[in-house]
Amino acid sequence: MASQTIRSSSVTFLDTTDDRKLEVYIASTLPTTQIFNANNGTYTPDWGINKLQLEASIFLDSKELTSDDHPTIKWCKKINTNTPVDISSATSFSLNITDNVMRDNVNMVAYICKVEYQGITAQAQIQFT
């Protein structure tokens, strides 16, 4: 009877797609502090006169995405410590705010940009006080 040798080996497959990194950054055209003067009812800066513009920059593995890449974008607004609320019409890289949000009972408002691209999600927020 002939002897048989059984050999085995293992192969490791690395799925490098799991290591992809999606990053979101938000730039603002105005300072992150807004002052309300209760004596005369004015805001500085006044977002009703000089609109607040927010712009998201989105990077996948250090490569900046553009609208041609078609990432899914959703903006939300969070007032004080409340649950964030979707801004239904805000689905682009930029968000324009034309109303003053700071009032007697509002100490902070945060705008959150949520992005999904190729099955990867990321978000960033910018906070105004």
Side-chain angles (χ1 to χ4, degrees):
M1 180 160 141
S3 73
Q4 294 181 344
T5 304
I6 299 175
R7 297 177 192 218
S8 66
S9 64
S10 64
V11 177
T12 303
F13 294 94
L14 297 176
D15 183 0
T16 58
T17 59
D18 290 343
D19 294 337
R20 304 198 80 183
K21 187 174 184 180
L22 186 66
E23 297 174 285
V24 182
Y25 302 95
I26 302 172
S28 170
T29 57
L30 297 174
T32 57
T33 301
Q34 185 181 49
I35 300 168
F36 175 67
N37 184 335
N39 294 327
N40 60 14
T42 60
Y43 292 88
T44 305
D46 188 332
W47 297 348
I49 295 171
N50 299 309
K51 69 182 173 185
L52 170 64
Q53 295 175 304
L54 303 179
E55 185 73 26
S57 296
I58 305 167
F59 296 86
L60 178 66
D61 299 332
S62 301
K63 178 190 175 281
E64 188 166 12
L65 300 181
T66 68
S67 58
D68 293 338
D69 295 307
H70 305 291
T72 302
I73 300 171
K74 178 165 285 283
W75 289 88
C76 303
K77 178 170 67 173
K78 177 180 171 182
I79 295 177
N80 295 330
T81 59
N82 297 333
T83 302
V85 176
D86 289 348
I87 303 171
S88 61
S89 61
T91 57
S92 68
F93 281 77
S94 59
L95 178 66
N96 295 319
I97 293 95
T98 57
D99 295 327
N100 294 304
V101 179
M102 301 300 170
R103 299 199 182 13
D104 293 334
N105 59 349
V106 177
N107 301 343
M108 182 278 301
V109 62
Y111 291 96
I112 303 160
C113 182
K114 298 178 180 181
V115 178
E116 192 274 328
Y117 186 70
Q118 295 183 351
I120 306 167
T121 59
Q123 72 179 32
Q125 82 172 18
I126 187 167
Q127 185 171 309
F128 296 86
T129 56

